[in-house]
Amino acid sequence: MAALGRRTKGPGRVYLTGGATALLHGWRSSTIDVDIKAEPEPAGFFEAIAHIKDALDLNVELASPDDFIPPLPGWRERSIFIERHGELDFSHFDLYSQALAKIERGHERDLRDVESMIRNRLVTTARLQEMFRSIEPDLIRYPAISPAAFATAVDAVCALHRDS
């Protein structure tokens, strides 16, 4: 974050997602890449990423939940501020968006991440189901997703990990 803030020129917000969020929240000890989304992309953003990837031998991906599932209403407001470096504000991408994207993917590690989010009370199962229902009509725009299978997966995760 510090290196990116030093090397970019201009204001922006960078959202961390996936393994970076898991590392910073402490439920994972490693990740294979750092997934980010910039909004807006400040001047020098891509050049800074290229430099950081080489200097730190780090895989940086431009990816966020809204690349894979419909954007959840209010995701920006629910994104959690981390810190500021230079003119860049860093935040965790909305955890409900992250959780739903992970449920849709269905990988074992992703489902463990969702379990950690629920266990650490970063998301609640009731709100997770509510958030899913809010995007369900928009799933028609994502032909690779089976709305019925996605709904079943969300309901199963929520039933298995009911909030305490």
Side-chain angles (χ1 to χ4, degrees), residues 90-157:
F90 291 85
S91 296
H92 293 289
F93 199 99
D94 168 45
L95 294 177
Y96 286 96
S97 297
Q98 289 195 49
L100 287 173
K102 287 173 175 292
I103 291 169
E104 196 284 320
R105 279 179 41 153
H107 293 77
E108 186 177 326
R109 176 175 249 178
D110 289 329
L111 297 176
R112 284 195 312 264
D113 285 348
V114 175
E115 179 182 356
S116 294
M117 289 179 195
I118 294 167
R119 186 178 56 250
N120 292 311
R121 297 191 169 146
L122 298 170
V123 299
T124 67
T125 56
R127 185 83 167 131
L128 194 58
Q129 286 180 304
E130 179 184 323
M131 290 284 96
F132 172 74
R133 301 295 179 237
S134 75
I135 63 166
E136 199 169 15
D138 297 326
L139 292 174
I140 192 77
R141 296 177 179 269
Y142 294 75
I145 297 175
S146 162
F150 192 7
T152 298
V154 170
D155 291 341
V157 165

Side-chain angles (χ1 to χ4, degrees), residues 3-20:
L4 194 57
R6 278 192 306 272
R7 297 188 76 80
T8 56
K9 310 292 181 227
R13 179 171 300 269
V14 175
Y15 297 94
L16 303 180
T17 188

Side-chain angles (χ1 to χ4, degrees), residues 19-46:
T21 292
L23 283 172
L24 290 174
H25 275 284
W27 71 74
R28 262 207 243 157
S29 61
S30 66
T31 185
I32 59 171
D33 59 16
V34 176
D35 297 326
I36 61 174
K37 173 187 178 104
E39 195 179 79
E41 293 164 356
F45 180 69
F46 294 105

